Amino acid sequence: MRLALASLLAVFVNQPSYAFDFKGIVLGQPATVAQVEEKLGIRCGAGIDSIQVCNGGVTIAQERATVNLVINDQGVVRRINLSLSPESFDVVAPLLIEKFGAPTATTKGELQNRMGAKFEQTTHLWKDDQENHVLYSRYAGTVDKSFLSFTTKEDRGLLANLRGNRRSDL
């Protein structure tokens, strides 16, 4: 009995326990507009359905970025999206790995632009036990944008619902 209890306790103690945060603003945790504005130096305003939307210029690892942060109607941070240059990836990615540990998954591939130039794509994904995700892609949408996204399960669900039924749009 003791051995079984000790084994069970060891499993829970060794589970990763992340707090996905950006400059002290923790994903999935309460934050006020004042805290976000003070810590990030950006401005917030009222969005639809009593949410707060915060946007502005920030730095991450001394690299310039723009941020979009959403606080839900209960005052919980549900999204932190950063757009930065793909050249920042080699600086920021190792620091994220140092901060959050090894990614849950890493994918690599190749992108090609209209002129035929090829670019090596890398995407890292971290997940925690509350189903929060951090996703960092060297290229996102274009070869001149990199994307770092902190999202809650709630936020990903809302975005999926906004897209609607794709089968009905064929």
Side-chain angles (χ1 to χ4, degrees):
M1 177 71 169
R2 281 187 191 173
L3 182 59
L5 185 58
S7 297
L8 186 59
L9 184 58
V11 168
F12 286 110
V13 169
N14 291 325
Q15 290 296 314
S17 177
Y18 301 110
F20 292 139
D21 77 288
F22 177 62
K23 297 191 178 198
I25 303 298
V26 181
L27 182 67
Q29 296 296 313
T32 65
V33 166
Q35 289 170 325
V36 170
E37 289 180 341
E38 179 185 330
K39 288 184 179 191
L40 303 183
I42 60 176
R43 294 284 168 221
C44 301
I48 60 169
D49 297 330
S50 302
I51 66 170
Q52 293 291 317
V53 180
C54 309
N55 296 297
V58 295
T59 60
I60 179 168
Q62 304 302 316
E63 298 289 324
R64 292 179 0 164
T66 57
V67 67
N68 168 260
L69 185 147
V70 175
I71 302 171
N72 71 12
D73 59 344
Q74 286 124 28
V76 175
V77 177
R78 78 173 199 213
R79 177 189 319 146
I80 307 169
N81 287 341
L82 294 107
S83 178
L84 51 162
S85 76
E87 292 80 20
S88 300
F89 189 87
D90 291 328
V91 173
V92 176
L95 295 174
L96 291 172
I97 292 169
E98 183 180 311
K99 182 174 183 172
F100 299 134
T104 307
T106 297
T107 57
K108 294 184 180 259
E110 189 173 79
L111 302 175
Q112 183 173 328
N113 70 8
R114 292 180 190 173
M115 301 300 289
K118 295 182 180 184
F119 300 87
E120 185 180 315
Q121 170 68 301
T122 303
T123 301
H124 296 303
L125 172 67
W126 290 264
K127 296 179 182 181
D128 71 6
D129 49 359
Q130 276 76 50
E131 298 190 53
N132 295 318
H133 291 181
V134 175
L135 179 74
Y136 190 26
S137 292
R138 180 183 303 270
Y139 301 107
T142 68
V143 295
D144 64 345
K145 295 279 186 206
S146 185
F147 190 64
L148 174 58
S149 176
F150 297 69
T151 59
T152 61
K153 182 180 180 181
E154 170 198 17
D155 190 58
R156 291 187 308 278
L158 289 170
L159 291 174
N161 286 340
L162 287 175
R163 288 185 204 109
N165 182 351
R166 293 179 188 267
R167 286 189 176 96
S168 69
D169 194 35
L170 292 176

